[in-house]
């Protein structure tokens, strides 16, 4: 099992429409990725461990898949539609990390 984390970095000029992301983009992700998507979690950042520092990431989305190949195969089919929707909710480029889930 793998986890694909989509991390949206915070910045002074960041625009991020959380309502659109949660109400429109996440249902689109779920619909397009279908049964390949095993789990989906969206985290909206509140504070850092050090409250005097700005959040590093404003939103972190975590998606689980059976394998890297399962993710790559379904994402290849729908990547254009998903990536084109980013401009509807933010002005930043997300960072992607793929991790192996052990527990």
């Amino acid at each position: 099992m793998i986890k694909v984390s989509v991390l949206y970095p915070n910045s002074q000029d960041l625009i991020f429409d959380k309502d659109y992301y949660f109400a429109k983009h996440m249902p689109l992700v779920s619909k397009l990725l279908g049964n390949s998507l095993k789990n989906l979690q969206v985290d909206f950042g509140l504070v850092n461990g050090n409250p005097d520092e700005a959040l590093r990431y404003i939103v972190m989305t975590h998606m689980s898949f059976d394998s890297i190949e399962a993710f790559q195969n379904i994402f290849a089919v729908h990547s254009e539609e998903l990536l084109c929707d980013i401009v509807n909710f933010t002005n930043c480029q997300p960072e992607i990390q793929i991790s192996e889930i052990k527990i």
Side-chain angles (χ1 to χ4, degrees), residues 31-100:
K31 177 183 141 196
L32 294 179
L33 300 184
N35 292 335
S36 295
L37 179 63
K38 302 304 178 190
N39 188 40
L40 174 64
Q41 177 181 328
V42 177
D43 302 342
F44 293 121
L46 298 175
V47 295
N48 277 338
N50 179 350
D52 295 331
E53 294 178 4
L55 281 172
R56 181 168 186 138
Y57 298 103
I58 196 76
V59 176
M60 297 182 290
T61 297
H62 307 284
M63 300 173 285
S64 299
F65 298 87
D66 285 332
S67 65
I68 291 174
E69 294 78 19
F71 164 68
Q72 290 173 331
N73 289 340
I74 196 69
F75 188 73
V77 174
H78 301 290
S79 61
E80 184 175 348
E81 187 172 357
L82 292 169
L83 295 175
C84 286
D85 194 45
I86 291 174
V87 298
N88 292 319
F89 59 87
T90 190
N91 63 341
C92 78
Q93 274 300 118
E95 300 172 12
I96 308 292
Q97 177 173 308
I98 298 176
S99 307
E100 181 180 21

